[in-house]
Amino acid sequence: SRGGAPFPLDGAADDRLQLLDHLGLERAHLLGVSMGGTIALQAAARVREVRGVCLINPPAGLADLIWTSPLCQTIRADIEADGLDQAAVAAFFRDIDPLFAGVGSVDRQRVLMIQALYDVVTRQEQYEALAEAWQFPHRLKYHAGHLNTLRVPRLAEDMARFFEGCA
């Protein structure tokens, strides 16, 4: 983002928590897809009132992803055009990347991680590293791509069953 903050994610979790406050919701289920999963996990780490968190294909190793994924070429080019290098991006993402950010008060029993087995955005090794770092007890793997996971017929049923158990 030329001339401003390097990424629009700074404060994204706080924005979501402010919305919950504004709506008067004391406890809520959080759902995040892709980068939204990272943001949902950040939000859950900051409050105790979260009933459950569902992460669908949350990216991990974000700085590495930007520099290694062919799908991120445009993002990488924009970052380099802003004068930032891989080290600067790694420093920024260290605070929000779920591989490096602290667990905080997240009750891992209330987190469901869903991953796509045919993901071309996030590599399987990154999902495994994230699951190992956080020790998620609830994980589902679907035979789908990154965003095609949302089309898996049983996804809604699996999430509903998980969230019912978090009530």
Side-chain angles (χ1 to χ4, degrees):
S1 66
R2 315 229 183 264
F7 305 98
L9 301 172
D10 195 20
D14 292 330
D15 293 344
R16 274 58 180 182
L17 295 173
Q18 288 174 6
L19 175 62
L20 294 176
D21 286 343
H22 177 76
L23 296 173
L25 299 174
E26 293 180 17
R27 294 189 65 196
H29 295 289
L30 301 177
L31 167 69
V33 179
S34 193
M35 186 57 77
T38 299
I39 294 167
L41 195 54
Q42 269 190 308
R46 294 180 186 175
V47 297
R48 288 191 206 118
E49 296 84 20
V50 173
R51 290 183 178 187
V53 183
C54 180
L55 314 171
I56 300 177
N57 301 324
L62 298 167
D64 180 57
L65 181 67
I66 289 172
W67 252 259
T68 60
S69 173
L71 296 173
C72 294
Q73 286 177 333
T74 304
I75 296 169
R76 186 172 52 251
D78 287 346
I79 289 170
E80 289 172 331
D82 283 342
L84 300 172
D85 61 9
Q86 190 170 3
V89 173
F92 172 80
F93 278 124
R94 195 163 289 113
D95 292 338
I96 63 169
D97 191 317
L99 279 179
F100 304 109
V103 174
S105 62
V106 176
D107 178 357
R108 290 181 204 90
Q109 291 296 324
R110 295 183 178 272
V111 178
L112 170 63
M113 181 177 143
I114 296 174
Q115 75 187 69
L117 293 174
Y118 307 122
D119 198 331
V120 296
V121 176
T122 302
R123 295 185 311 271
Q124 293 305 307
E125 309 88 74
Q126 290 168 305
Y127 285 133
E128 295 305 321
L130 177 61
E132 184 177 322
W134 283 73
Q135 296 294 302
F136 291 130
H138 305 288
R139 290 176 65 196
L140 295 173
K141 298 178 182 182
Y142 294 132
H143 293 273
H146 192 76
L147 293 178
N148 286 336
T149 304
L150 299 175
R151 295 181 178 170
V152 171
R154 69 174 204 241
L155 175 64
E157 183 179 309
D158 287 345
M159 287 189 315
R161 189 177 310 112
F162 173 74
F163 282 140
E164 286 171 0
C166 292

